[in-house]
Amino acid sequence: MPNLRTEAPATYAWLGRPDQVRAGMAQFARWNGVSGPIPTAGNHLRIAADLLRAHAEDRLLTARTGRPLPHEVVGQVRQTLAPWFDARTAAMNRPELLATLDEYGITGVTEPDQLDDLNARYDQALTQDNATGPAEPGVRDMFGYLRDTNRIPTFDQLTDGQLRRLLGHGYTDSAAQFTDAELAHALDAVQKWSQSWESNQGEMFLPLLADTLDVAVEVLRPNPTTGLGTVTRVGSPTATRVLEVHYTGLNHYNATDAGPLGDSSPHITPSKAPRGPEDADSVQPDGRHRPAPVRDAADDLPAARINDPAPKASWHGLRRHARPAVHSTERFDPHADQSNPPRAGVLSGATTLIRTQVRRIQAPNGQWIRDYTLNLPVTTNDPALAQQVNDRITRLLDTHLNSGLALPGSQDQLHINVNLISDPSHPEAVTLTDTARPGRADQLHLDVNHSDEDLLHEVLHYFGLPDEQRDNDFLLRNHANSTTVRTTGLMATTQGQVHIPQRYLRIIEDVTSAGPQLHDHTGQDESTPAENPDTTPIPTDTDLVWPASHAPTALPPRRAPSRRPT
């Protein structure tokens, strides 16, 4: 922290002694506020927090004339200000709307959802060109035709209402720095730190602190169900200093007690056994013993169903009006062999992408629906292939998951939508192929000749389910008694009939609970602005660090027992 050493030398010295900090924190945690004066640790923490708050305020104030704030900070503040912004633009005349578009760097229509008359413009274009389009064109087909024939409307061709719609879509994504009103809102939140941290605007604090201190922060979100966790990174990807915090799921971050990275950690000898479900268990390092885990037998039972599931037709149309919570994170599975990391300073392993929009909608019969939407960017040489695979995945989901299954904690009814959207330039675009003998599937490579089980296995990763097959390549799955290894369920084996056990519903619900806040859509409310939920993948401009893990392999044939010579 800048100037801590000179402005608060006693606190600086105290923070430099980890054992004393841990003991002081434990004492401070037991203090109830009335039993004597505040412990010494409390005073040091208050001093550090006050200095940190002052530096964060200074960072906000100097951003417009110096180094710009990262979009993680600006976008989070604007999300909390969206209703205020909509009310502000509602009173604007046309010159004010055009000036505001320029202020936020919005230069034109770039997405199908920004046009409320897309269908009419498309039909008119086909008529004028005497052309015939696809039998059932998607919004991207229609938008692409308008773009390719230079018919995307300019500002002059949009009504005032359409300009407001364009502003509403572009506001939170704008890279423009804070206006005076937005800056005042952000400063107020920082100045009232202790009152704001648990609100939506409090979500800006972590990226703001990372930027203020010029560090990266890795956030571990532990999953007690699986024993694993997801890691997200906040701050500059080029930062040379990395901090680690743990998210408890209660809008609160805990500092790690891990020491600095270095070469003093014990070396884990990787397994030399070949990978495969019947390989010998890894016993490295020497002397390791893993007792069989104690598990609830109900975990392997088929997932439970709602007593009175809501018919899809009664609520599915409300998705256009329901506010989504965008959940974009990763699950990391470390390799046993760490001799070849993708780059300096990171572990070697595989990543599971979690990318979904979650809506919580109340059906007319009172049943709450937890509606998940995966808009998956794809690239393929055959456009018809995407629709073929999309239809097949939808049938699998409707058969095995969209059948009234109940999430165990909330008793919400589960429903999953998947849309394959042509977006070859997306960094996470899935390659679709049609080959006679395809390789093993993974989240970024699907083939029309992969089995139904393999396709469904890879799709369910996007909702938080981990790989469960034992695999000696992976540190946490290289032993039959590992708590992460299972022998039943689609994430453990894709051979035989699809089995969706109860634990999968619990894991999906736990992963969602560790993500963004859900927004309840009650009754049959259709007063909120309608947006097509099935057209746009979650954007990203960051290439993946780790490869995606592969689908399970088939069990090898059983070996005949060897005969000893007599």
Side-chain angles (χ1 to χ4, degrees), residues 284-342:
Q284 304 290 346
D286 292 340
R288 183 178 70 174
H289 170 68
R290 286 186 180 176
V294 178
R295 289 172 170 153
D296 187 342
D299 266 2
D300 282 330
L301 295 177
R305 285 179 164 76
I306 298 291
N307 291 330
D308 183 22
K312 178 179 177 181
S314 69
W315 61 267
H316 203 253
L318 295 172
R319 295 170 63 242
R320 300 170 64 246
H321 300 277
R323 181 181 174 187
V326 179
H327 196 185
S328 178
T329 188
E330 290 82 38
R331 181 192 299 276
F332 181 67
D333 202 355
H335 282 146
D337 184 352
Q338 291 295 321
S339 63
N340 188 30

Side-chain angles (χ1 to χ4, degrees), residues 108-136:
V109 176
T110 57
E111 293 292 336
D113 289 350
Q114 296 168 351
L115 290 175
D116 58 0
D117 59 350
L118 176 63
N119 289 41
R121 290 180 181 274
Y122 174 71
D123 291 340
Q124 183 183 33
L126 289 181
T127 301
Q128 291 173 346
D129 295 346
N130 194 25
T132 302
E136 296 184 1

Side-chain angles (χ1 to χ4, degrees), residues 239-502:
T240 56
R241 295 180 298 167
V242 180
L243 308 180
E244 180 183 302
V245 296
H246 291 201
Y247 181 70
T248 65
L250 300 172
N251 296 326
H252 191 71
Y253 297 96
N254 287 343
T256 177
D257 61 357
L261 292 176
D263 296 329
S264 58
S265 56
H267 178 68
I268 298 178
T269 306
S271 168
K272 299 302 181 183
R275 186 208 51 73
E278 281 196 347
D279 295 340
D281 291 328
S282 169
V283 294
Q284 304 290 346
D286 292 340
R288 183 178 70 174
H289 170 68
R290 286 186 180 176
V294 178
R295 289 172 170 153
D296 187 342
D299 266 2
D300 282 330
L301 295 177
R305 285 179 164 76
I306 298 291
N307 291 330
D308 183 22
K312 178 179 177 181
S314 69
W315 61 267
H316 203 253
L318 295 172
R319 295 170 63 242
R320 300 170 64 246
H321 300 277
R323 181 181 174 187
V326 179
H327 196 185
S328 178
T329 188
E330 290 82 38
R331 181 192 299 276
F332 181 67
D333 202 355
H335 282 146
D337 184 352
Q338 291 295 321
S339 63
N340 188 30
R343 66 169 186 250
V346 299
L347 295 174
S348 174
T351 189
T352 298
L353 303 176
I354 300 171
R355 303 283 189 267
T356 182
Q357 300 177 38
V358 191
R359 294 169 175 85
R360 192 165 188 260
I361 302 170
Q362 189 176 39
N365 69 349
Q367 175 64 49
W368 282 98
I369 312 296
R370 189 78 63 90
D371 181 77
Y372 292 82
T373 300
L374 169 62
N375 291 331
L376 200 59
V378 299
T379 178
T380 177
N381 294 325
D382 181 3
L385 199 63
Q387 191 61 53
Q388 179 184 351
V389 175
N390 203 150
D391 292 344
R392 186 173 160 200
I393 290 173
T394 298
R395 286 194 297 271
L396 291 169
L397 290 169
D398 288 346
T399 299
H400 300 290
L401 289 114
N402 297 338
S403 54
L405 300 185
L407 296 173
S410 61
Q411 288 301 300
D412 288 357
Q413 179 178 328
L414 175 69
H415 190 273
I416 296 176
N417 314 275
V418 171
N419 306 291
L420 304 189
I421 298 166
S422 179
D423 193 352
S425 63
H426 197 288
E428 296 169 1
V430 178
T431 301
L432 298 182
T433 54
D434 182 358
T435 55
R437 297 176 63 85
R440 288 170 66 190
D442 63 50
Q443 281 188 278
L444 301 179
H445 300 87
L446 300 177
D447 191 280
V448 70
N449 292 308
H450 281 141
S451 69
D452 286 351
E453 293 77 14
D454 280 344
L455 290 179
L456 192 56
H457 172 101
E458 296 304 332
V459 166
L460 291 183
H461 275 316
Y462 285 98
F463 305 95
L465 292 185
D467 283 312
E468 294 182 324
Q469 185 187 45
R470 188 173 64 77
D471 189 328
N472 278 357
D473 283 351
F474 290 92
L475 180 64
L476 303 180
R477 291 191 285 123
N478 61 3
H479 195 285
N481 286 345
S482 169
T483 57
T484 61
V485 171
R486 300 280 187 153
T487 56
T488 62
L490 183 67
M491 307 312 289
T493 176
T494 55
Q495 310 302 311
Q497 293 184 342
V498 172
H499 174 45
I500 306 296
Q502 287 188 19

